[in-house]
Amino acid sequence: MNCPKCGKWNRAGMPHCIYCGENLPEKPYDDNGYLPWQLEMKDQEKPKAYIRVDEYGQYEATDDPRDKLADEMVSLKARKIAGEEEQRRLRRAAAERGMAPSGRSVHTTSNHSTFFSKYNDDPARTLRNVEAENEAGASPSPVAGPRYRTSYDSPEQEDMYGYSEERRPVQAYRNEDDPALYDGYRYSGTYYPSGSTGRHTKNYTMRTGKYSTEKPKSFSMRRFVQVCAILTVSALLILLVWKYVVPMVFNGNREEKATYTITPTIRDELATHTITIPGQEGQRIMIKELRTSTIVVGGVATFDIPDHVWYDDYEDYVQETMSVTVSPYIVSESGKQTALEPIHYEIDIPLSPIDLINPDSEYLEVSTALYNIIFTVREGSKLTINGEDYSDLVNTDGGRVSYNATVQPIGENVITIVVRSQYCRENTKTITLYREKQEIPLDLASDIASSSSSGTATMTVRATTLPGATVKVLSPHSDLDITTTNQDGAFSFIAKLDKIGNNTIIITADYPGKKTTRVEHNVYYVPNIDIYSRKAWDIVTQYTDLMDNMDLRKSNSQIYVCKGVITSIETTKPQRAFMNVGTEDSPLMVFVENSSKTTWEVGQSYRLYGDAFGMYQSAPWLVVRYTYGIDDPG
């Protein structure tokens, strides 16, 4: 306790202050059983707060018990060091005043003998046999002054404590004439070091009035800290196991549970989803929506479901995807149906294919009353053009459709093509043909062709215009007949197709006070294969000549035959590729453009007939009109 006069600390139970001599309170404890120094202690700072977040995003703020334990250990060490220093100071002060220590029960280490050290902590030097020193004539020990010796009123009292020469509690039998009795103990001349074989102190029990040979048990802060540490570590281990190990075990068990699988695949060239449902061998599993069932084999029931079965009944379905739900059931032998977990997945709905060939864009300026639109669709498709059904044109040439569109001189003429192919959603393509408005009408006959394979390289052209108008043909022609033009506006002529490929027929009409009308019509001319192939030169033998005289051969539309392998495809629309007409050791490359009806494939061998067009990457460029297999006759 603290001295009420000087404020210095004294051991509880001492009669007076060892510094100033002031009498200390006989009752050091308060009504609640706390010492004053305990009431003066302040709580340490609150440990740091830890925010713990679980896998679901929930969090909680908790104190880490390890922080509190660490603070207590640091505080314990500091108090221990301070207590040892204070004990040394007290021993030095008591020795200078000729006072003995209060007892061996106050210590901070397991070495009990260090408490009595006068000069250092060596128990063998400090604790010695005082009686032996007295017999030898040595001076009395300063730690055993006569002032602190005990006197007895009767021999019985001395016999009570005479069983040993060690110190005994005598507060119950204290001599009233000896007020200087120190701390309720009497002094004995003999002390035993902790490592000696001397007799141990016997404890006197005030409640029973008997002595016990058991050593007194003192409170151990180290034992308390150890127990707290063990409990803390155990709690942390339990928390970790519950938080992480147990969920991992249960999650692992759930992952091992067999589940269904969905795999996109192709069956009979149609998009399909394969579903496997786990089950017991021999079970029958049924899909309610499809009214079909299968037997479990190898632990699974397998269903191949074409995507189109989900949207075949929709005529105007325009969504790109569709969400599908499958309800499987286990069917027992008695017919009982047990529902399984529903299966959900999405499917893609493809557009009906439309491949536009002529024109190559969806907007084109034209000057003729008729324009031939060419495109390809899938065979068996439903086709409508501007609201009219033309499905009968689909199957005439492998899905290739040729449509002559009427183009009025009104500006924009819109042609709407709608295709619905099997297992596809409806597709729409819009083509706009622009024909300038005419002050003088000039129209070609509706039966005029846009292509020709005549051996004579000529074509008869018939047209009508405003009666009395002046008609001129600006392209190569012959036999212009305008005899009835003034009466009905009709006229005709023979157009000369002077080159292989596209030939443009140009006609104008003039009338006083009106703007001139100009009409252009393209005709694709290629002689038939019999005539075309007869004019063909071998590309291998004439390769150097073609490279040296490209402009001349191009102007004459010189025809060549090429036999070789397609090595690469450069473009697909139109299809352009490189062909090796030489050998692997001595390649001879030709750049070819496909204007035939056959689609080329890389690595395949062909026999091609084409005419000179120009140069491309240091190779001659030919436009191919006919394609045959390398071994095909012809």
Side-chain angles (χ1 to χ4, degrees):
M1 70 180 66
N2 292 336
C3 176
K5 182 178 181 180
C6 64
K8 294 186 178 180
W9 181 87
N10 291 269
R11 182 169 180 260
M14 296 184 66
H16 57 272
C17 177
I18 62 176
Y19 300 99
C20 63
E22 179 72 15
N23 292 332
L24 299 176
E26 294 183 357
K27 186 178 180 182
Y29 298 92
D30 64 1
D31 297 335
N32 296 324
Y34 292 100
L35 294 173
W37 64 270
Q38 291 177 324
L39 298 176
E40 294 174 1
M41 293 185 65
K42 297 182 179 180
D43 293 336
Q44 299 293 330
E45 290 185 2
K46 186 177 180 180
K48 298 179 180 179
Y50 291 82
I51 298 177
R52 307 181 186 275
V53 182
D54 59 15
E55 58 183 348
Y56 300 102
Q58 300 295 327
Y59 66 90
E60 61 178 357
T62 60
D63 297 335
D64 196 331
R66 292 177 294 184
D67 289 343
K68 182 178 179 180
L69 176 61
D71 294 339
E72 291 178 354
M73 294 177 68
V74 171
S75 176
L76 174 64
K77 183 175 180 180
R79 295 198 307 272
K80 178 179 178 181
I81 295 174
E84 290 177 351
E85 186 63 27
E86 182 66 15
Q87 289 176 8
R88 291 189 182 94
R89 188 188 67 77
L90 292 175
R91 288 198 297 270
R92 287 194 300 268
E96 291 175 358
R97 298 172 60 184
M99 299 172 62
S102 62
R104 297 179 62 185
S105 60
V106 178
H107 55 82
T108 60
T109 66
S110 59
N111 187 355
H112 291 216
S113 62
T114 59
F115 186 83
F116 296 91
S117 176
K118 178 180 180 182
Y119 302 103
N120 54 42
D121 289 337
D122 185 2
R125 179 179 175 181
T126 303
L127 302 182
R128 57 194 181 278
N129 193 323
V130 180
E131 292 179 353
E133 293 180 356
N134 293 334
E135 292 177 358
S139 60
S141 172
V143 300
R147 182 180 178 181
Y148 298 101
R149 295 181 181 273
T150 305
S151 61
Y152 300 93
D153 296 336
S154 64
E156 289 80 10
Q157 295 177 354
E158 184 174 5
D159 291 340
M160 179 180 297
Y161 297 97
Y163 67 91
S164 171
E165 294 178 350
E166 298 176 5
R167 298 184 309 160
R168 296 289 175 254
V170 296
Q171 185 155 346
Y173 304 96
R174 195 179 79 179
N175 190 348
E176 297 295 336
D177 297 332
D178 190 4
L181 184 65
Y182 187 80
D183 199 21
Y185 286 86
R186 67 181 179 88
Y187 172 75
S188 174
T190 304
Y191 292 92
Y192 293 93
S194 61
S196 67
T197 57
R199 293 166 294 177
H200 292 276
T201 302
K202 294 184 180 180
N203 297 326
Y204 177 77
T205 305
M206 302 299 294
R207 181 170 59 86
T208 61
K210 299 180 180 180
Y211 295 95
S212 172
T213 58
E214 296 181 357
K215 298 177 65 176
K217 296 182 180 179
S218 61
F219 174 77
S220 175
M221 181 61 71
R222 180 179 299 177
R223 176 64 60 84
F224 173 75
V225 172
Q226 291 177 349
V227 172
C228 292
I230 293 173
L231 293 176
T232 302
V233 173
S234 301
L236 288 176
L237 289 176
I238 295 174
L239 179 62
L240 291 174
V241 170
W242 178 260
K243 195 82 173 178
Y244 299 102
V245 177
V246 173
M248 289 175 61
V249 172
F250 283 98
N251 290 337
N253 293 336
R254 285 196 293 267
E255 290 177 358
E256 293 177 358
K257 183 180 178 180
T259 58
Y260 62 84
T261 61
I262 303 175
T263 306
T265 183
I266 299 295
R267 292 288 186 272
D268 299 329
E269 300 182 356
L270 297 175
T272 305
H273 278 77
T274 299
I275 301 177
T276 60
I277 303 174
Q280 298 179 2
E281 201 72 17
Q283 277 185 336
R284 177 176 294 277
I285 296 180
M286 178 189 69
I287 292 182
K288 180 180 179 181
E289 289 78 5
L290 302 179
R291 295 183 177 85
T292 183
S293 63
T294 187
I295 302 298
V296 175
V297 178
V300 294
T302 304
F303 296 89
D304 290 331
I305 306 176
D307 291 351
H308 67 85
V309 302
W310 304 106
Y311 56 82
D312 271 349
D313 296 336
Y314 296 96
E315 289 294 333
D316 55 352
Y317 197 84
V318 296
Q319 301 297 325
E320 295 182 1
T321 61
M322 174 182 284
S323 298
V324 175
T325 299
V326 173
S327 304
Y329 286 81
I330 297 177
V331 182
S332 64
E333 295 182 356
S334 61
K336 181 181 178 181
Q337 297 181 1
T338 302
L340 299 177
E341 179 183 359
I343 301 173
H344 307 279
Y345 65 97
E346 285 195 353
I347 60 174
D348 296 326
I349 305 177
L351 276 174
S352 300
I354 302 177
D355 187 12
L356 190 62
I357 299 175
N358 187 45
D360 55 3
S361 65
E362 297 183 4
Y363 186 90
L364 183 67
E365 293 185 4
V366 299
S367 59
T368 60
L370 292 177
Y371 186 84
N372 184 239
I373 299 176
I374 303 174
F375 57 92
T376 59
V377 297
R378 185 178 297 173
E379 291 188 13
S381 300
K382 181 180 179 181
L383 171 65
T384 59
I385 301 176
N386 287 343
E388 296 184 17
D389 190 0
Y390 286 89
S391 301
D392 56 336
L393 300 178
V394 173
N395 300 323
T396 57
D397 193 10
R400 183 185 179 97
V401 178
S402 179
Y403 171 72
N404 289 321
T406 301
V407 185
Q408 300 291 338
I410 57 175
E412 292 185 350
N413 294 259
V414 178
I415 293 90
T416 303
I417 303 173
V418 179
V419 178
R420 175 65 187 270
S421 302
Q422 189 178 22
Y423 312 138
C424 299
R425 55 192 172 99
E426 188 175 87
N427 191 7
T428 302
K429 188 174 291 294
T430 301
I431 300 173
T432 301
L433 301 177
Y434 179 82
R435 185 182 177 190
E436 188 178 0
K437 296 180 180 180
Q438 298 177 350
E439 294 185 12
I440 303 173
L442 178 58
D443 296 321
L444 301 178
S446 60
D447 59 351
I448 187 173
S450 59
S451 63
S452 175
S453 59
S454 173
T456 59
T458 59
M459 174 185 288
T460 300
V461 179
R462 292 183 299 273
T464 59
T465 184
L466 183 66
T470 302
V471 176
K472 296 180 182 180
V473 180
L474 305 182
S475 58
H477 69 286
S478 63
D479 302 333
L480 176 59
D481 183 8
I482 57 173
T483 56
T484 63
T485 304
N486 291 331
Q487 288 78 26
D488 56 10
F491 65 94
S492 64
F493 62 93
I494 297 175
K496 294 182 179 181
L497 308 177
D498 56 351
K499 62 181 180 181
I500 297 175
N502 288 325
N503 294 261
T504 302
I505 301 173
I506 303 174
I507 309 171
T508 63
D510 294 299
Y511 195 88
K514 294 183 180 295
K515 184 179 179 181
T516 301
T517 298
R518 178 187 175 98
V519 173
E520 296 181 359
H521 181 66
N522 292 326
V523 178
Y524 180 76
Y525 169 69
V526 177
N528 59 56
I529 187 59
D530 293 335
I531 299 175
Y532 192 78
S533 61
R534 292 173 189 174
K535 300 179 182 180
W537 293 358
D538 181 56
I539 189 65
V540 177
T541 59
Q542 300 297 321
Y543 192 87
T544 304
D545 175 80
L546 176 59
M547 295 289 288
D548 295 339
N549 304 283
M550 177 57 71
D551 293 337
L552 178 61
R553 303 307 178 207
K554 177 182 177 181
S555 62
N556 294 332
S557 297
Q558 182 57 53
I559 302 170
Y560 295 89
V561 58
C562 305
K563 297 179 181 179
V565 179
I566 299 296
T567 59
S568 65
I569 302 293
E570 300 300 313
T571 62
T572 57
K573 191 177 181 180
Q575 192 176 36
R576 298 188 179 106
F578 278 103
M579 170 181 259
N580 182 13
V581 296
T583 62
E584 293 183 2
D585 297 332
S586 300
L588 197 63
M589 305 306 296
V590 179
F591 188 70
V592 289
E593 180 178 328
N594 192 358
S595 292
S596 66
K597 296 182 179 181
T598 303
T599 303
W600 300 330
E601 295 181 7
V602 175
Q604 296 296 320
S605 298
Y606 299 99
R607 185 173 80 253
L608 308 179
Y609 292 91
D611 44 85
F613 182 78
M615 295 290 296
Y616 182 80
Q617 294 185 2
S618 301
W621 186 345
L622 303 180
V623 178
V624 175
R625 311 299 178 176
Y626 296 97
T627 299
Y628 295 94
I630 195 70
D631 298 325
D632 291 347

